[in-house]
C-alpha cells in the first residue's frame, strides 16, 4: 500500500483525436506524451482498446505500442487494456509475445472483459454477446500460452511462449477485483470514470488475494484524472473545458451531429443527468503542483493504492504535457522507480 514516501506514477493515454485532427496527428501526440513520461520518471504508459469512436484512436493497442516503443527506450508500455472477449487468446499471446521479443522487459498486458464499443460495433467485431462469460477461462488460456504451458495440446504461441508477459486485470466492478485476487494478478481499477465501487473493489481484492507465480502480494493500481498547471486558476479553466468536452461527447451521440454552446452545457450540468456525467470524473486532481501533490497522496490513501495511473485531461496537447511534467516534479521527492 502506498504512503508518503513511495507512490509510483504511470500514464493512461486514450490517444484522443481533437476536433479537426487526424488519427496520425493523435499518434504523434502519443509519442510526445510517452517521451515526456519517460523523461519525467513515470513507470508505464497504457493504451485502451476502443472501437468505432471518432474521438479515440487506440483501437489497435498492440500496433500503437509497437510504434511508441520504437520512439522511447525505457518506459514500460502496455494495453490498459485489451478487451479479451473481442479476441482469441492465442492471437493476443502472439501479438504481445512479439512485442516482448522486440522490446524485452518493457511490455505489460492489461485485460478487460467489456466490449470497448456499442452493441452494433460489438457485432461488427464478430463478438458473441455471451463471450464475456468465458473471460476467466480465456485469461487462463492466454496465461498458459505466455508461460509456454499451453492448455490446448499441440498449440503453442510463437512468438509468445516463454515470454511471461505480465498480466493485469482491469475493471470497474467487483468482478474484476475478485478475479484478480483469485488468480493472484495485479488489479487496475478504472476510477477515473467509474468511481462508485473503488473502495469496495479494493477491499475485496486485498481480502481475497492468493499469491501466484507472477505476484506474491496484491498490487492495486487506481486510475485518477489529473490537470496540473502553473496556477490554480489556469488548472480550473482547463478542468471546466475538459468536463464540458466530456459532456458534449456523451450527449451529442446520434446520426446527426449537434453542437452545444458552453452556456447550454453549463445549464445541463445543473440537471441530475448532467451531475451524474460530471460525477464520473469525481476523482480528479486539479490545481497548481502543491495542490495536486496533496490530492494524489490523499487519493492513494483513500484507495489503498500501490500505484496511481494518471489520465491527464487537459484538451490542449501542450497543456497536457505540462501537466505530466509538473505532476512528476511535484511528486519527485517520493516518486518510485
Amino acid at each position: 500500500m502506498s504512503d508518503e514516501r513511495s507512490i509510483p506514477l504511470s500514464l493512461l493515454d486514450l490517444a484522443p483525436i481533437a476536433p479537426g485532427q487526424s488519427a496520425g496527428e493523435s499518434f504523434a501526440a502519443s509519442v510526445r506524451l510517452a517521451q515526456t513520461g519517460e523523461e519525467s520518471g513515470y513507470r508505464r504508459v497504457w493504451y485502451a482498446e476502443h472501437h468505432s469512436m471518432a474521438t479515440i484512436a487506440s483501437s489497435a493497442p498492440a500496433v500503437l505500442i509497437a510504434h511508441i516503443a520504437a520512439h522511447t527506450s525505457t518506459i514500460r508500455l502496455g494495453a490498459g487494456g485489451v478487451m479479451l472477449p473481442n479476441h482469441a487468446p492465442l492471437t493476443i499471446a502472439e501479438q504481445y509475445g512479439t512485442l516482448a521479443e522486440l522490446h524485452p522487459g518493457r511490455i505489460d498486458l492489461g485485460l478487460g472483459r467489456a466490449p470497448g464499443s456499442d452493441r452494433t460495433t460489438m457485432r461488427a467485431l464478430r463478438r458473441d454477446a455471451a463471450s464475456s462469460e468465458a473471460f476467466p477461462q480465456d485469461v487462463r488460456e492466454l496465461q498458459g500460452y505466455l508461460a509456454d504451458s499451453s492448455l490446448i495440446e499441440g498449440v503453442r504461441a510463437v512468438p509468445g511462449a516463454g515470454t511471461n508477459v505480465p498480466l493485469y486485470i482491469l475493471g470497474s466492478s467487483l468482478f474484476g477485483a475478485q478475479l484478480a485476487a483469485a488468480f493472484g494478478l495485479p488489479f487496475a481499477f478504472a476510477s477515473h470514470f467509474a468511481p462508485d465501487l473503488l473502495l469496495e473493489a479494493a477491499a475485496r481484492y486485498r481480502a481475497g488475494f492468493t499469491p501466484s507465480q507472477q505476484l506474491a502480494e496484491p498490487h492495486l493500481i487506481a486510475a485518477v484524472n489529473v490537470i496540473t498547471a502553473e496556477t490554480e486558476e489556469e488548472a480550473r479553466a482547463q478542468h471546466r473545458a475538459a468536463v464540458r468536452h466530456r459532456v458534449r461527447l456523451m450527449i451529442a451521440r446520434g446520426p446527426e451531429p449537434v453542437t452545444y454552446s458552453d452556456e447550454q452545457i453549463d445549464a445541463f450540468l445543473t440537471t441530475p443527468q448532467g451531475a451524474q456525467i460530471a460525477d464520473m470524473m469525481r476523482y480528479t486532481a486539479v490545481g497548481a503542483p502543491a495542490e495536486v501533490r496533496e490530492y494524489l497522496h490523499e487519493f492513494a490513501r483513500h484507495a489503498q493504492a500501490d500505484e496511481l495511473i494518471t489520465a491527464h485531461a487537459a484538451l490542449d496537447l501542450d497543456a497536457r504535457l505540462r501537466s505530466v511534467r509538473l505532476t512528476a516534479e511535484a511528486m519527485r521527492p517520493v516518486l518510485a522507480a
Side-chain angles (χ1 to χ4, degrees):
M1 191 184 310
S2 64
D3 57 29
E4 286 284 335
R5 295 184 303 273
S6 176
I7 304 176
L9 294 182
S10 296
L11 293 167
L12 177 64
D13 182 6
L14 295 177
I17 304 175
Q21 188 182 53
S22 68
E25 291 170 319
S26 170
F27 297 145
S30 288
V31 169
R32 290 185 62 190
L33 185 73
Q35 290 172 337
T36 301
E38 183 172 82
E39 294 164 1
S40 302
Y42 287 78
R43 174 173 285 187
R44 66 184 99 242
V45 188
W46 279 358
Y47 306 92
E49 177 186 343
H50 292 85
H51 298 281
S52 193
M53 294 187 181
T55 59
I56 297 178
S58 55
S59 58
V63 180
L64 182 55
I65 290 167
H67 178 65
I68 304 293
H71 290 82
T72 54
S73 57
T74 58
I75 195 165
R76 297 190 67 90
L77 301 165
V82 163
M83 300 299 105
L84 190 53
N86 291 345
H87 311 276
L90 177 61
T91 299
I92 298 305
E94 292 169 341
Q95 289 178 3
Y96 285 82
T98 298
L99 288 169
E101 294 287 359
L102 290 170
H103 307 282
R106 295 185 59 201
I107 304 302
D108 299 330
L109 179 48
L111 303 170
R113 65 175 184 141
S117 61
D118 56 33
R119 288 186 175 275
T120 301
T121 305
M122 185 175 73
R123 289 194 294 271
L125 288 166
R126 305 295 193 269
R127 172 175 171 170
D128 187 316
S131 57
S132 61
E133 296 176 8
F135 182 66
Q137 293 79 16
D138 286 347
V139 172
R140 284 301 197 202
E141 183 180 337
L142 174 59
Q143 201 170 32
Y145 291 134
L146 294 172
D148 201 11
S149 55
S150 175
L151 301 182
I152 300 179
E153 186 176 355
V155 177
R156 191 167 184 256
V158 181
T163 57
N164 292 297
V165 175
L167 301 184
Y168 298 74
I169 300 297
L170 278 59
S172 57
S173 70
L174 302 181
F175 176 88
Q178 293 165 334
L179 183 69
F183 284 9
L185 295 174
F187 177 54
F189 192 85
S191 36
H192 64 302
F193 74 85
D196 289 344
L197 292 175
L198 170 62
L199 298 185
E200 187 175 355
R204 292 202 184 188
Y205 172 62
R206 292 194 179 280
F209 183 82
T210 302
S212 68
Q213 187 172 356
Q214 178 177 330
L215 195 64
E217 297 179 349
H219 186 84
L220 174 67
I221 303 174
V224 57
N225 301 292
V226 178
I227 297 178
T228 311
E230 283 82 359
T231 67
E232 181 182 1
E233 182 180 13
E234 183 182 356
R236 296 290 171 190
Q238 292 176 14
H239 179 246
R240 285 193 296 273
V243 171
R244 288 168 178 159
H245 179 68
R246 174 166 294 198
V247 172
R248 280 193 180 93
L249 293 179
M250 298 195 73
I251 67 176
R253 294 174 178 173
E256 297 296 328
V258 180
T259 301
Y260 294 95
S261 68
D262 286 351
E263 292 74 19
Q264 288 174 309
I265 294 296
D266 290 344
F268 177 73
L269 284 168
T270 66
T271 68
Q273 298 93 332
Q276 185 176 16
I277 294 175
D279 188 55
M280 294 171 66
M281 295 181 70
R282 183 191 314 165
Y283 293 125
T284 302
V286 182
E291 296 169 279
V292 168
R293 172 180 169 140
E294 181 179 357
Y295 183 96
L296 292 180
H297 279 305
E298 179 54 38
F299 174 72
R301 285 190 292 267
H302 175 72
Q304 302 182 65
D306 301 291
E307 180 179 342
L308 300 181
I309 188 160
T310 57
H312 292 261
L315 302 182
D316 175 74
L317 174 60
D318 288 337
R320 200 152 62 243
L321 297 179
R322 283 198 303 273
S323 181
V324 169
R325 292 191 191 97
L326 290 170
T327 303
E329 289 170 4
M331 302 292 284
R332 183 155 289 133
V334 294
L335 197 62

